[in-house]
Amino acid sequence: MFSFLFSSNIFSNGDAFVVEGIVLDAETSEPISNALILLVGTNDYTTTKSDGTFSLHVNRSGAIRIKITHLAYQEKLIDFNSTNEFNKRLVVYLFPKIVNLPSVIVTDNLSASLIDEIKDYSTILKGKELQKQLSQTLAATLKNEAGLSVRSMGPAPSRPVYRGLGQDRILISEDGMKSVDLSATSPDHAVTIEPFTSERIEVLRGPKILTETSSTIGGVVKIVRNEIPYQIHNTYHLTIGGYAETVNKGYLGSIQSEIPFDPVALKFELSKRSSSDLMTPDGLLQNSSSNNLNTAIGLSYIGDFGYSGAAFRLYNLTYGIPGGFIGAHPKGVKIDIGKKQIHLDSKVNVSDANFIQLSYKNIYYRHKEYEFSGRIGSEFRIITNLAKIDYTHSQLFNIEEGVFGVSIEHRDFEIGGFVFTPPTTSFNFSAYLYEEFKLNRMNINFGFRYSYDNVKPKTEHSDSKIGIINKRIFNNISVSASLIYQLSDVLFIGSNLSRSTRVPTIEELYSQGPHLAAYSYEVGNPDLNSESGIGTEIFIYHKYEKLNFNLNVFYNNLNSFIIPRNTGEINYQTFLPIYKTYGVAALLYGLDGSFNWNFYDRLSLSSSFSYTKGIFRENSHPLPQIPPLKGITSIQFNSDNFQVGLSCDWALNQNDVDLFEQATDGYLIFNSFIQFLFNIEKSVNSLTLNVDNIFNKSYRNHLSRVKSILPEAGFNVRVVYKFLL
């Protein structure tokens, strides 16, 4: 399919005329350079420029056929009659194709390996697929990905959970560096990331995550926004976006731009989001509104050596935590978060494919929790300094490619209000490497990470009610290796074996008092050891134009698995349920997968599912907060610039619950979407309309802390629009 746009750039002279147009990626709407534009039946051709535009001289009239080809895209043929049809500008969308050949990729970054190709198929959101999934939070945007669930305590404080693993076992990073907030420590704390302004979102697993975290059984949710420009464009880029939904009267507006002043590039972004209380099929979820302001500016100098730049980001979020369940404040709690960060980044080329990258972040995070009366119940202030140096290489001895480096993190954690966790400083030093080998049809990926952690309370206590509050030092080693064997051009099998470690958080070690917004009385354990265990996984992938699928089976055997458990007791001074932190032996195992089948012309059927079983190793009783068997199935029609589809979110009952944990029923939720890409002059426009929970079905998310009072969102219409120039 193709589109014609009004333009004054088509010239004719008798039977001769000039065809002008632009070629775009159908997935991302980005311009495609070096595409071949051929006049079929002749030797007349041209290629697209870096901005995707082209001009082709045609010296005949009548029926004309143009062929557009590119190594990485599916071929397209366009027919028209020059005498009466072609008086407008041509816009062509090309779909990426799978090339079943060994990868030979020229890039300004680490070359793509086989495992990266598989990851790109199954666990990456970008372009129009990202826009279709965009929701209020990062977790809600990712909820349909295989293996992922959403932990929540109302709409705003939601966070991804992977294969039943939450907290800081799932590291969230922005542009290659850890994102700092308190979302990993408690369900009432929000992730301080605006997904709408991201370029793409990746879910990483396997040995490569050891370059960022020591928890190999978890994963890394990687936000790519390139806030520090790394290349000079030949013209300015502008993106204006908007988002609105009915279920909470929510809206968002954003603007982003990148402006070249060769050899300097400037980039800025601004977004504002607001939502009212959430409407559910059973009523209004009081005190669930939120307001967010996000702004950033980045500047970099780009030359033959690489690039060097800096960025400043300001993020403010105010949101409510609903009340009404056991231990909760009757009218809920308000939380106000402010984050300021300075980001420095430099890449220095050593040779064609080898480079050194130096990165630094300073993050100031402030978090206040207010009772309904306006009194501050809890207050947190964290100052974090992060730094890392990576050396990325191509061929080295028998190694195909890899990276090794070191990182440090210093954290100053201050606490106020009615919270009795002691102010604490922590220091981490890590050294890591990731390497890739290839032996005929076998790809081997290996990762290693050593971590030293020093956690020091500013005031030590030898007679605390929970034990001795003093400095703790942890030394940990994490290792992971993956094997991928290519059975054929389209079929791959593999396995992963890893040793995972995780240092207990400050809250898990030293908490000893009420936590206002979490509605819990938290008791830490200063004698905790590092969490550790062995993870195994077997997977199979099939990659073909008509059928893609993957299936993953995993088994994690963990020692000292650190979890907070509801004891069933009440602290009668605060009337809050008591949650104690334990290190237990645990097993987590299950399977997940997805497939996409183009079964007829432009019709496709897709589905993903996730199942995790978590038990205490000593008695086989269920672990708390394990999601049920769940998934999504959809059917859709695809054309070059139009998509329409119907999907069904489903889950089974979850009756395998810990003591004092609420079971949940299964559900079927139907949704639909329409997405349309169109051009106006030189701009690319994308409009997506989603209708969620079409039948206003009442259902509960098992990982929601407020499921006992009200269900999830009811009938909802979401509209997302983006204008790119």
Side-chain angles (χ1 to χ4, degrees), residues 384-559:
T384 306
N385 287 281
L386 302 164
K388 63 188 298 187
I389 302 175
D390 289 346
Y391 178 75
T392 300
H393 65 84
S394 55
Q395 291 287 341
L396 182 66
F397 305 112
N398 292 325
I399 300 171
E400 292 283 317
E401 56 191 39
V403 58
F404 52 86
V406 296
S407 68
I408 60 172
E409 175 183 344
H410 182 269
R411 190 183 191 212
D412 186 351
F413 187 52
E414 289 282 355
I415 301 169
F418 296 96
V419 179
F420 300 96
T421 304
T424 305
T425 60
S426 61
F427 174 80
N428 168 268
F429 168 82
S430 295
Y432 48 85
L433 64 86
Y434 168 75
E435 304 295 345
E436 299 181 3
F437 310 82
K438 186 172 183 180
L439 301 173
N440 298 319
R441 288 179 171 266
M442 180 76 75
N443 281 68
I444 304 170
N445 304 270
F446 174 79
F448 171 90
R449 187 180 185 96
Y450 164 75
S451 296
Y452 165 85
D453 287 88
N454 184 322
V455 184
K456 183 178 181 181
K458 294 183 179 180
T459 303
E460 298 187 354
H461 296 281
S462 59
D463 58 351
S464 167
K465 292 180 180 180
I466 64 171
I468 299 174
I469 306 297
N470 60 2
K471 180 175 71 173
R472 296 293 308 276
I473 292 177
F474 303 89
N475 289 277
N476 288 311
I477 291 177
S478 297
V479 182
S480 181
S482 282
L483 304 177
I484 303 176
Y485 185 77
Q486 186 173 350
L487 291 172
S488 69
D489 290 343
V490 298
L491 187 62
F492 308 84
I493 61 170
S495 65
N496 181 63
L497 178 65
S498 64
R499 181 183 190 271
S500 178
T501 61
R502 184 179 77 90
V503 172
T505 66
I506 293 169
E507 295 81 4
E508 290 168 338
L509 288 169
Y510 303 130
S511 287
Q512 48 178 324
H515 186 169
L516 173 70
Y519 308 138
S520 58
Y521 190 95
E522 298 174 353
V523 178
N525 183 348
D527 298 322
L528 285 172
N529 294 319
S530 293
E531 183 176 287
S532 64
I534 302 298
T536 57
E537 181 179 4
I538 298 173
F539 50 86
I540 182 169
Y541 284 81
H542 181 276
K543 297 174 57 182
Y544 195 64
E545 289 187 36
K546 295 292 184 180
L547 176 64
N548 299 314
F549 69 81
N550 70 87
L551 179 66
N552 313 282
V553 180
F554 62 92
Y555 184 90
N556 299 318
N557 189 340
L558 303 174
N559 300 312

Side-chain angles (χ1 to χ4, degrees), residues 84-98:
N84 54 26
E85 287 186 17
F86 204 82
N87 58 359
K88 297 165 185 152
R89 189 169 184 256
L90 184 65
V91 178
V92 182
Y93 292 97
L94 297 184
F95 276 96
K97 66 179 178 181
I98 297 172

Side-chain angles (χ1 to χ4, degrees), residues 594-622:
S594 64
F595 79 88
N596 184 279
W597 176 31
N598 184 201
F599 64 92
Y600 180 75
D601 194 17
R602 294 182 179 272
L603 286 172
S604 62
L605 179 69
S606 62
S607 184
S608 66
F609 73 94
S610 312
Y611 172 71
T612 300
K613 178 78 171 180
I615 59 174
F616 293 96
R617 208 164 66 196
E618 65 176 359
N619 56 22
S620 297
H621 290 172

Side-chain angles (χ1 to χ4, degrees), residues 227-244:
E227 63 182 8
I228 298 175
Y230 65 93
Q231 61 183 353
I232 293 282
H233 295 292
N234 60 351
T235 186
Y236 74 92
H237 284 196
L238 175 66
T239 303
I240 299 174
Y243 170 100

Side-chain angles (χ1 to χ4, degrees), residues 1-13:
M1 183 177 291
F2 59 93
S3 304
F4 289 122
L5 302 179
F6 289 100
S7 174
S8 59
N9 296 330
I10 306 301
F11 308 97
S12 63
N13 181 11

